[in-house]
């Protein structure tokens, strides 16, 4: 008996303290030797805190940091946390991993510019913009799964909505009609998924996969048949202009990042706040969460389980429709085949990382958006890392999150279960 207890204690020590601690120590050492050892003590990194284009923001001095000393400090932080974890243990492993990951990324940012300046504000602004479709996909997943309907067809909804937006926007000459078309298209696709999953009790994973396959095939056919080289004048919608919020746009750093964007970014920010309020501070949100956790109990109390699920899945599809519009009328003004590039699946990862909450999903999306923006910025700076590896960055982050390194998350108890009317 004593031997069994000792074995359990040893396994617990290895799993919770020794192995993670050693990994953190290795990350700390790698941080210094990869990004600090080859730098000179006099070398400095300049981070631009003012946007490069036209802006209303009040200018402030750039941030200048010594490269070698700063990287050494960040490496020591990782080494210290690793040693502390081995010696004493740390309750919040996720927080520690987050700090060490942030230290590693900061070391990369210090090392990458070398003698060049680095627009920190530009990269933060790019991170928010690139996080927009991911956040909208994550919000779609949150509102669907909170009512216990899994929707992995978000990628397909984004793709079809993106194409609908550019066609309607081009034909009508009105980008807002294009946005409305994307929202309605997303709602229709959400209704189709809800109909299969709720009415016919089709396996929700199968239904989502079917939507993704249909979306790729249908949009590719329409693109090659009618949109290629824009011979029919259907694939040149233009994009929403940047809108500056008076007064708020003048705030240094925050102003250019948060308050100088196009309408789709603002819609995303509004939806995050509205969905949080609806889910956690309204009767409808309470019914939604009840249906997601215990549909039988909710039905006993008079909640129409089917209605709640239909409404939430359709609303989720409409939110994903806004995300689809981002790719065309919000970013490039034209449609290209499979242009969503897996952002719907990354949105699902952000939903899980954010523990099925709107604010958490948004924060997680910012991490993925930052990873995407970082790989673009590193390519521009010409770092000696193959571009193929840099392009992998957002997807590597996705796999790390899904592997559970950041901690476990509990889905709604009835997630994916078909409900029988009582």
């Amino acid at each position: 008996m004593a031997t069994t207890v000792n074995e359990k204690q040893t396994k617990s020590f290895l799993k919770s303290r020794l192995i993670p601690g050693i990994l953190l120590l290795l990350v700390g050492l790698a941080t210094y030797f990869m990004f600090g050892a080859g730098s000179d003590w006099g070398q400095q990194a300049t981070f631009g805190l003012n946007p490069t284009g036209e802006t209303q923001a009040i200018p402030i001095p750039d941030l200048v940091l010594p490269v070698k000393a700063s990287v050494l400090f960040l490496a020591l932080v990782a080494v210290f946390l690793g040693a502390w974890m081995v010696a004493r243990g740390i309750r919040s492993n996720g927080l520690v991993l987050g700090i060490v990951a942030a230290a590693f990324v900061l070391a990369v940012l210090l090392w990458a510019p070398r003698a060049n300046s680095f627009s920190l504000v530009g990269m933060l602004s790019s991170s928010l913009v690139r996080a927009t479709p991911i956040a909208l996909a994550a919000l779609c997943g949150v509102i669907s799964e909170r009512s216990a309907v899994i929707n992995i067809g978000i990628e397909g909804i984004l793709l079809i909505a993106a194409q609908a937006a550019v066609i309607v926007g081009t034909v009508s000459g009105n980008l807002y009609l294009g946005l409305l078309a994307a929202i309605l298209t997303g709602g229709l696709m959400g209704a189709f998924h809800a109909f299969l999953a709720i009415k016919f009790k089709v396996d929700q994973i199968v239904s989502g996969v079917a939507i993704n396959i249909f979306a790729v095939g249908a949009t590719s056919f329409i693109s090659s048949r009618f949109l290629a080289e824009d011979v029919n004048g259907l694939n040149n919608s233009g994009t929403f202009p940047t809108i500056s919020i008076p007064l708020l746009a003048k705030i240094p750093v925050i102003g250019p990042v948060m308050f100088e964007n196009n309408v789709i970014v603002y819609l995303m920010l509004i939806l995050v706040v509205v969905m949080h309020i609806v889910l956690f501070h309204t009767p409808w949100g309470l019914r939604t969460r009840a249906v997601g956790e215990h549909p039988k109990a909710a039905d006993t109390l008079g909640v129409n389980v089917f209605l709640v699920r239909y409404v939430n899945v359709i609303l989720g599809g409409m939110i994903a429709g806004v995300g689809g519009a981002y790719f065309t009328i919000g970013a490039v003004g034209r449609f290209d085949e499979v242009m969503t590039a897996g952002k719907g699946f990354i949105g699902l990862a952000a939903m899980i990382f954010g523990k099925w909450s709107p604010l958490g999903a948004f924060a997680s999306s910012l991490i993925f958006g930052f990873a995407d923006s970082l790989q673009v910025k590193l390519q521009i700076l010409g770092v000696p890392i193959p571009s193929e590896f840099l392009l992998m960055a957002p997807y590597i982050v996705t796999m790390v999150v899904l592997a559970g390194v950041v901690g476990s998350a509990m889905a709604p108890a009835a997630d994916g279960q078909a409900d029988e009317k009582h």
Side-chain angles (χ1 to χ4, degrees), residues 28 43 49 59 85 107 118 156 208 237 275-276 323 334 350 370 378-379 415:
Q43 192 173 5
L49 300 182
M85 181 173 284
F118 180 92
S237 63
M275 187 181 293
H276 176 80
R334 58 171 287 112
F370 180 81
L378 293 179
Q379 289 187 63
D415 205 9

Coordinates of all heavy atoms in Angstrom, one line a residue, residues 28 43 49 59 85 107 118 156 208 237 275-276 323 334 350 370 378-379 415:
G28 N 14.0 28.9 -21.3 CA 14.8 30.0 -20.9 C 16.1 30.1 -21.5 O 16.6 31.1 -22.0
Q43 N 23.7 47.0 -29.0 CA 22.7 47.0 -29.9 C 21.3 47.3 -29.3 O 21.0 46.8 -28.2 CB 22.6 45.6 -30.6 CG 21.7 45.5 -31.8 CD 21.9 44.1 -32.5 OE1 22.6 43.2 -31.9 NE2 21.3 43.9 -33.6
L49 N 5.8 53.5 -31.6 CA 4.5 53.6 -30.9 C 3.5 54.5 -31.6 O 2.5 54.9 -31.1 CB 4.7 54.1 -29.5 CG 5.6 53.2 -28.6 CD1 5.7 53.8 -27.2 CD2 5.1 51.8 -28.6
P59 N 1.1 61.9 -31.1 CA 2.4 61.2 -31.2 C 3.1 61.2 -29.9 O 3.0 62.1 -29.1 CB 3.1 62.1 -32.2 CG 2.5 63.5 -32.2 CD 1.0 63.2 -31.9
M85 N 9.2 26.1 -10.1 CA 8.3 25.0 -10.3 C 8.8 23.7 -9.9 O 8.1 22.9 -9.2 CB 7.8 25.0 -11.8 CG 6.8 23.9 -12.1 SD 6.1 24.0 -13.7 CE 5.0 25.4 -13.6
A107 N 11.2 38.2 -26.7 CA 12.6 38.0 -27.1 C 12.8 38.0 -28.6 O 13.7 38.6 -29.2 CB 13.2 36.8 -26.5
F118 N 10.8 48.9 -35.6 CA 9.7 47.9 -35.6 C 8.5 48.6 -35.2 O 8.4 49.2 -34.1 CB 10.1 46.8 -34.7 CG 9.1 45.7 -34.6 CD1 9.2 44.6 -35.4 CD2 8.0 45.8 -33.7 CE1 8.2 43.6 -35.3 CE2 7.1 44.8 -33.6 CZ 7.2 43.7 -34.4
G156 N -17.2 26.3 -43.5 CA -18.0 26.4 -44.7 C -18.9 27.6 -44.7 O -19.1 28.2 -45.8
G208 N -21.8 19.1 -39.9 CA -20.9 20.1 -40.0 C -19.9 19.8 -41.1 O -19.5 20.7 -41.9
S237 N -15.7 44.1 -55.5 CA -16.7 44.9 -54.7 C -16.0 46.1 -54.0 O -16.7 47.0 -53.6 CB -17.2 44.0 -53.6 OG -16.2 43.5 -52.7
M275 N -23.0 39.7 -26.7 CA -23.2 38.3 -26.5 C -22.9 37.9 -25.0 O -23.5 37.1 -24.4 CB -22.3 37.4 -27.4 CG -22.6 35.9 -27.3 SD -21.6 34.9 -28.3 CE -22.3 35.4 -29.9
H276 N -21.8 38.6 -24.5 CA -21.5 38.3 -23.0 C -22.7 38.8 -22.2 O -23.1 38.0 -21.2 CB -20.3 39.1 -22.6 CG -19.9 39.0 -21.2 ND1 -19.3 37.9 -20.7 CD2 -20.2 39.9 -20.1 CE1 -19.2 38.1 -19.3 NE2 -19.7 39.2 -19.0
G323 N -18.3 37.2 -40.2 CA -16.9 36.8 -40.3 C -16.5 36.5 -41.8 O -15.4 36.9 -42.2
R334 N -12.3 41.1 -53.2 CA -12.5 40.0 -54.2 C -12.5 38.7 -53.5 O -12.1 38.5 -52.3 CB -11.5 40.1 -55.3 CG -10.0 39.9 -54.8 CD -9.1 39.7 -55.9 NE -9.2 38.3 -56.5 CZ -9.7 38.1 -57.8 NH1 -10.0 39.2 -58.5 NH2 -9.8 36.9 -58.3
A350 N -10.2 28.7 -30.6 CA -10.3 29.9 -29.7 C -11.4 29.7 -28.8 O -11.4 30.2 -27.6 CB -10.4 31.1 -30.6
F370 N -2.4 37.5 -33.2 CA -1.1 38.0 -33.0 C -0.1 37.0 -33.7 O 0.9 37.5 -34.3 CB -0.8 38.1 -31.5 CG 0.6 38.5 -31.2 CD1 0.9 39.9 -31.2 CD2 1.6 37.6 -30.8 CE1 2.2 40.3 -30.9 CE2 2.9 38.1 -30.5 CZ 3.2 39.4 -30.6
L378 N 7.6 39.1 -39.4 CA 9.0 38.5 -39.4 C 9.5 38.3 -40.8 O 10.7 38.4 -41.1 CB 9.0 37.2 -38.6 CG 8.8 37.3 -37.1 CD1 8.8 35.9 -36.5 CD2 9.9 38.1 -36.5
Q379 N 8.5 37.9 -41.7 CA 8.9 37.8 -43.1 C 9.3 39.1 -43.7 O 10.3 39.2 -44.5 CB 7.7 37.2 -43.9 CG 7.4 35.8 -43.7 CD 6.4 35.2 -44.6 OE1 6.5 35.2 -45.8 NE2 5.2 34.8 -44.0
D415 N -23.5 19.0 -24.7 CA -22.9 19.4 -26.0 C -22.9 18.2 -26.9 O -22.4 17.1 -26.6 CB -21.5 19.9 -25.8 CG -21.1 20.9 -26.9 OD1 -22.0 21.2 -27.7 OD2 -20.0 21.3 -27.0

